[in-house]
Amino acid sequence: MSNINLIIEERAADIGNFLVGRLLPFRQKRMVGPFIYIDHMGPVKMNERQNFDVLPHPHIGLSTLTFLFEGSIMHRDTLGNEVEIKPGEVNWMTAGKGIVHSERTPEYLRHSEKNMHGLQIWVALPKHLEQMEPEFFHIDSSEIPSWKEDDVEFKLVAGEAFGRKSNVPVYSPMYMLEIKSVTEKKLNIGQHLYGEAGLYILEGGIENDGSEYGPKQILVAKNSSLCGFTIKPNSTIYIFGGEAYPEERFIDWNFVATDKALIEQAKQNWTEQKFDKIKGETEFVPLPAYPKK
């Protein structure tokens, strides 16, 4: 009997001048563990006149995780951070009570051809930390636990699993794993997981209980402890999940909270431009007339 409870197809969505594939939230599954939002950016080629420019915008109640496969993004925020994100590195920004950031093509790449491809993820904060002071961490690719088992490559992007712990400072029991294989292998990894689990196929595919699944799909497991499948040759997949929160989370535009009043206050503060400003940036994304739910 299949352990797959739900299959979520990637849906197109716009972020500024960039098209992304939205995976979470989905109307039948708002969260997987603490993961509340996953966007697949690209792959896209940009010419010397095209650039990635997400103007200053606010967040509350969550941590953002940016993980690139190709390209480069210059991150700037209201804590004064100005950091270039490169492939294999993890950008981990915790909004807490409120932060503003922008994401742009670095200046030295703006007049040349470039590629962009990666994942942008939101992880909801535990209720008691929703209003914490904002934080920012940048973790180099060399600091991310990586290992190989039976010719299958594993990377623990964030959280704890397989008896290992990532250097990304998460705030609840969770995991995000990258698994790559050039050959077909049967994997039984359920004993290393906990809580809820989702599987995102970036390239290649998997087989489970006689059915095959390909790229741009998230598979949500009925039971993470029974997570087993056959990974197809030349495949890259991501396993993500963890302990679900007892409280419901509300999501409105870039804001996440257990209390709708916190979101309404954040919307008002952004409209009145009461959030801190990013040094050197004057543009900003206005509050949408019809916020995304």
Side-chain angles (χ1 to χ4, degrees), residues 270-291:
W270 184 245
T271 300
E272 297 174 0
Q273 284 294 288
K274 291 182 177 178
F275 277 79
D276 291 341
K277 303 292 192 297
I278 300 172
K279 185 178 180 181
E281 300 239 21
T282 56
E283 300 174 288
F284 64 92
V285 180
L287 185 74
Y290 299 99

Side-chain angles (χ1 to χ4, degrees), residues 119-232:
L119 294 175
Q120 289 204 307
I121 293 167
W122 296 358
V123 180
L125 286 167
K127 183 177 181 179
H128 70 283
L129 293 177
E130 280 184 308
Q131 293 288 287
M132 67 179 281
E133 292 294 325
E135 293 181 344
F136 174 84
F137 296 91
H138 184 82
I139 293 86
D140 190 78
S141 58
S142 63
E143 300 177 67
I144 298 171
S146 303
W147 67 99
K148 185 179 282 191
E149 292 181 14
D150 194 23
D151 290 331
V152 179
E153 296 179 7
F154 293 83
K155 184 177 292 184
L156 182 58
V157 178
E160 292 188 56
F162 286 80
R164 293 170 168 87
K165 184 175 182 178
S166 169
N167 287 314
V168 177
V170 303
Y171 295 100
S172 68
M174 57 161 278
Y175 45 84
M176 178 178 166
L177 287 153
E178 176 187 85
I179 303 176
K180 290 187 174 187
S181 183
V182 295
T183 59
E184 183 170 299
K185 295 287 182 181
K186 187 172 179 62
L187 301 177
N188 287 295
I189 60 174
Q191 71 271 26
H192 302 292
L193 306 179
Y194 49 90
E196 298 181 330
L199 185 156
Y200 174 58
I201 304 167
L202 177 68
E203 55 189 358
I206 71 161
E207 185 271 326
N208 177 266
D209 196 36
S211 297
E212 294 195 4
Y213 304 92
K216 299 187 177 182
Q217 291 183 317
I218 278 183
L219 312 177
V220 181
K222 295 175 185 174
N223 185 337
S224 64
S225 67
L226 300 177
C227 193
F229 53 89
T230 297
I231 187 169
K232 294 297 184 177

Side-chain angles (χ1 to χ4, degrees), residues 26-200:
F26 186 68
R27 60 183 171 82
Q28 292 172 262
K29 187 64 177 171
R30 306 298 292 176
M31 299 176 69
V32 176
F35 289 79
I36 196 167
Y37 182 100
I38 299 178
D39 268 356
H40 175 206
M41 306 185 297
V44 66
K45 292 182 181 294
M46 292 177 280
N47 63 35
E48 64 275 6
R49 297 178 303 279
Q50 297 172 311
N51 289 295
F52 182 74
D53 283 304
V54 180
L55 303 183
H57 58 282
H59 292 287
I60 66 165
L62 55 85
S63 296
T64 63
L65 190 159
T66 302
F67 189 70
L68 297 180
F69 313 129
E70 289 184 274
S72 179
I73 295 175
M74 182 60 73
H75 163 99
R76 295 185 180 90
D77 64 40
T78 45
L79 296 178
N81 297 293
E82 185 170 335
V83 178
E84 182 179 355
I85 314 167
K86 296 181 179 181
E89 301 173 344
V90 175
N91 227 50
W92 179 259
M93 182 186 75
T94 297
K97 66 182 184 181
I99 198 168
V100 178
H101 73 136
S102 66
E103 299 158 290
R104 301 178 184 271
T105 298
E107 194 61 39
Y108 73 95
L109 293 174
R110 295 186 73 83
H111 304 290
S112 60
E113 293 184 353
K114 55 265 178 190
N115 298 326
M116 180 67 73
H117 193 196
L119 294 175
Q120 289 204 307
I121 293 167
W122 296 358
V123 180
L125 286 167
K127 183 177 181 179
H128 70 283
L129 293 177
E130 280 184 308
Q131 293 288 287
M132 67 179 281
E133 292 294 325
E135 293 181 344
F136 174 84
F137 296 91
H138 184 82
I139 293 86
D140 190 78
S141 58
S142 63
E143 300 177 67
I144 298 171
S146 303
W147 67 99
K148 185 179 282 191
E149 292 181 14
D150 194 23
D151 290 331
V152 179
E153 296 179 7
F154 293 83
K155 184 177 292 184
L156 182 58
V157 178
E160 292 188 56
F162 286 80
R164 293 170 168 87
K165 184 175 182 178
S166 169
N167 287 314
V168 177
V170 303
Y171 295 100
S172 68
M174 57 161 278
Y175 45 84
M176 178 178 166
L177 287 153
E178 176 187 85
I179 303 176
K180 290 187 174 187
S181 183
V182 295
T183 59
E184 183 170 299
K185 295 287 182 181
K186 187 172 179 62
L187 301 177
N188 287 295
I189 60 174
Q191 71 271 26
H192 302 292
L193 306 179
Y194 49 90
E196 298 181 330
L199 185 156
Y200 174 58

